[in-house]
Amino acid sequence: MYDVDFQIFHFVNDGLSNTFFDWVAPVLREKKTWIPLYIALLIWLIYKYRKKSVLIIGLIIAVAGITDYTSSSIIKPFVKRVRPCNDQLIELQVNERVTCGAGYSFPSSHAANHFAIAFFLSLTIFRKYRLMQWLSFLWAALIALSQVYVGVHYPADIFGGAVLGMLIAMMVYYVSSCLWEEYLNYIET
């Protein structure tokens, strides 16, 4: 399994190398890049749902917070997978396009957090907007793929993060729909 993971990593990190990706991948994975999107989503939620937007915004924050805590503070310290850019066996083969963090690699918190938000939005407010569902997953996938391209995560880290994020989003959606069924039904229609 490690061989396949490394081969895919090497293909993305080295085989796809070009000046455009070298410029765009670090930008995609940067948190500050997405602030305008978050502000636009916040404004749209408040405009569309008024007072009811407070719950959905709170749930989005909860999804991201639970996902980040689970990936960064529980799973990473337990698994202790070394980042490719810090892996002594392959570090000379890695095109490191950003500063390599000292933390662990599995799962990718970027992938977990963004797939959690995308899936939660798809289950709730984007349910009736098919294009928005696709765009939210494309957004999460681009951020996740950029993590491999810049050399800080293996593909399995991304996959594990995406699955973790979607599971947590589904759990939060299920619990919140049990607690606030009438409210969430209003949002979904």
Side-chain angles (χ1 to χ4, degrees):
M1 182 65 181
Y2 180 80
D3 257 2
V4 173
D5 202 23
F6 175 72
Q7 288 175 2
I8 296 170
F9 169 81
H10 186 65
F11 170 75
V12 173
N13 179 254
D14 188 49
L16 295 179
S17 288
N18 65 67
T19 53
F20 177 72
F21 287 170
D22 288 352
W23 172 76
V24 79
V27 172
L28 287 174
R29 67 179 295 280
E30 179 60 44
K31 294 173 186 170
K32 294 175 187 170
T33 299
W34 301 105
I35 290 173
L37 176 68
Y38 301 143
I39 291 171
L41 179 63
L42 186 67
I43 291 168
W44 181 76
L45 286 170
I46 293 168
Y47 172 77
K48 177 121 174 105
Y49 298 108
R50 306 281 182 218
K51 291 179 185 175
K52 296 178 182 194
S53 66
V54 172
L55 179 60
I56 197 72
I57 292 166
L59 289 172
I60 292 167
I61 292 169
V63 164
I66 293 167
T67 303
D68 192 63
Y69 180 78
T70 303
S71 65
S72 298
S73 300
I74 298 174
I75 299 175
K76 282 184 181 186
F78 178 76
V79 174
K80 296 182 181 177
R81 185 177 195 191
V82 177
R83 293 180 182 277
C85 48
N86 288 332
D87 189 336
Q88 293 179 354
L89 297 174
I90 65 163
E91 67 184 342
L92 296 177
Q93 301 170 43
V94 175
N95 290 317
E96 194 175 324
R97 294 177 173 94
V98 297
T99 303
C100 188
Y104 295 116
S105 183
F106 183 87
S108 165
S109 295
H110 273 79
N113 296 341
H114 292 94
F115 273 96
I117 293 168
F119 194 51
F120 186 77
L121 291 171
S122 291
L123 291 171
T124 57
I125 62 173
F126 291 164
R127 181 173 253 169
K128 61 183 177 178
Y129 303 106
R130 279 286 198 225
L131 177 61
M132 294 304 291
Q133 287 179 330
W134 285 104
L135 289 174
S136 65
F137 281 105
L138 176 62
W139 164 73
L142 288 172
I143 292 169
L145 185 60
S146 71
Q147 296 292 89
V148 177
Y149 186 80
V150 300
V152 297
H153 281 290
Y154 290 102
D157 304 338
I158 300 305
F159 181 75
V163 169
L164 173 68
M166 290 189 291
L167 287 172
I168 290 172
M170 197 177 335
M171 178 192 70
V172 170
Y173 174 75
Y174 176 75
V175 169
S176 62
S177 64
C178 289
L179 296 173
W180 299 292
E181 180 180 358
E182 183 179 310
Y183 174 73
L184 289 176
N185 284 339
Y186 169 77
I187 288 174
E188 295 166 7
T189 56

